[in-house]
Amino acid sequence: MYHKKQSGLTLGDMLTWCIILGTAALGVMRVFPIYNQKLKVDASINSILENPELNTMNQREIAAAMMRNFSVQDVDVFDGGGIKDALNITPIKGGKGRLLTMQYEIRGPLFGKFELAYQYYREATLPSLDYQ
């Protein structure tokens, strides 16, 4: 007589997989808002770089344009005017443009008192100021 070997998941195996998948899903739900905010800041910087009037905009005007983009895209990390600390525009030696540097820290909750921290840093070359 031939005996067929049983196969399948036991209740313990199903609970283990539920715990693993639930933990992974919770991790993704906690990381996604931080990653999404990074994408929105990148999109705002790209929008500034595509602005045809960029060569006439100073740092204050660029910061104001970025804040307008942030309000449209629902980025609230710079509500208190913290963009002045995060955004820096310096001339490149030799007069070949300006360097836009955006640097700040994004924080979000993970589990209990643990937090996720992401150091955002991006550089972009801007044209020189041209007041015509």
Side-chain angles (χ1 to χ4, degrees):
M1 181 175 204
Y2 176 72
H3 293 286
K4 186 176 180 185
K5 190 175 183 179
Q6 289 185 350
S7 63
L9 292 176
T10 65
L11 180 61
D13 290 339
M14 285 188 355
L15 288 176
T16 302
W17 278 108
C18 286
I19 290 170
I20 291 170
L21 292 175
T23 303
L26 182 61
V28 168
M29 288 188 314
R30 298 296 183 154
V31 170
F32 180 75
I34 293 171
Y35 183 71
N36 193 31
Q37 181 175 333
K38 176 215 174 289
L39 292 177
K40 289 177 180 180
V41 172
D42 281 341
S44 292
I45 291 174
N46 291 338
S47 174
I48 294 296
L49 294 174
E50 294 170 0
N51 189 337
E53 298 172 354
L54 182 61
N55 61 340
T56 62
M57 296 171 71
N58 61 22
Q59 182 167 344
R60 189 186 55 192
E61 293 167 336
I62 291 172
M66 288 186 76
M67 288 302 293
R68 284 191 299 273
N69 285 339
F70 291 159
S71 68
V72 168
Q73 295 184 10
D74 197 28
V75 175
D76 58 354
V77 72
F78 299 111
D79 281 351
I83 195 164
K84 294 175 187 173
D85 297 329
L87 179 67
N88 190 18
I89 298 175
T90 56
I92 297 174
K93 293 180 180 170
K96 297 186 178 183
R98 300 173 288 167
L99 184 66
L100 177 143
T101 305
M102 184 81 165
Q103 181 177 6
Y104 68 98
E105 186 175 89
I106 304 171
R107 290 190 168 268
L110 184 59
F111 302 107
K113 293 185 179 184
F114 293 103
E115 286 187 337
L116 291 171
Y118 176 76
Q119 295 288 329
Y120 182 89
Y121 182 82
R122 175 144 180 220
E123 288 182 347
T125 303
L126 307 176
S128 296
L129 281 174
D130 183 24
Y131 295 109
Q132 295 178 357

